[in-house]
Amino acid sequence: MSRLNAAYMEKIEEAIELIKKNDLNLAKDIIHEAIQLDDNGAEAQNLLGAYYELIGDRLLALRHYRAAYSLEPSYKYADMNIERLTCNNLIGGNKEPFLGHEDLLEVENVNRMFAKMK
């Protein structure tokens, strides 16, 4: 499991920081380095989805969010990104991708909204 791979998680953290700084090209390179370390990591696929969404390719973003979900169905961030994109940003009004380390209160709010929809 990717969470046990410290080098992989360091790359994920680095990519998140780069995305937050809007250094998207370098973030993409770091995400690919993470994939080299663990090609089954849902976190990297989710971040790749975020990268494509932020450059305007929502279809490719959705493919990567779905890949992340397929690799680890319990990985909530991929699930939230899929729901957010396919529900026209109705869930929580969040227009930015969930990178994986958002405020836990926001995650709880989204989870409550999911529960109401089911």
Side-chain angles (χ1 to χ4, degrees):
M1 178 175 245
S2 61
R3 289 187 177 94
L4 300 177
N5 186 333
Y8 171 83
M9 290 310 293
E10 286 176 18
K11 293 293 180 185
I12 295 300
E13 294 289 335
E14 185 178 353
I16 288 171
E17 290 305 313
L18 290 166
I19 290 171
K20 287 179 179 179
K21 292 177 183 175
N22 204 33
D23 192 347
L24 300 179
N25 289 328
L26 184 54
K28 183 181 179 191
D29 292 341
I30 298 300
I31 294 165
H32 283 291
E33 289 177 20
I35 291 170
Q36 292 288 324
L37 294 170
D38 183 351
D39 60 358
N40 290 314
E43 301 87 354
Q45 289 296 325
N46 186 64
L47 289 178
L48 209 47
Y51 165 81
Y52 283 111
E53 184 177 351
L54 291 169
I55 65 166
D57 192 337
R58 290 172 53 113
L59 181 60
L60 197 49
L62 192 56
R63 288 180 184 168
H64 283 284
Y65 293 145
R66 287 182 174 146
Y69 181 82
S70 294
L71 288 168
E72 191 175 332
S74 65
Y75 188 65
K76 278 292 190 189
Y77 298 107
D79 188 35
M80 291 187 304
N81 283 324
I82 292 166
E83 289 288 334
R84 188 179 47 75
L85 278 185
T86 58
C87 292
N88 296 320
N89 294 326
L90 296 176
I91 297 175
N94 189 357
K95 294 180 180 173
E96 294 294 317
F98 292 101
L99 302 177
H101 298 292
E102 281 68 31
D103 182 352
L104 292 177
L105 181 59
E106 179 66 22
V107 173
E108 287 297 317
N109 290 337
V110 171
N111 286 337
R112 273 183 251 146
M113 294 176 99
F114 285 162
K116 289 179 184 177
M117 295 175 74
K118 294 180 179 180

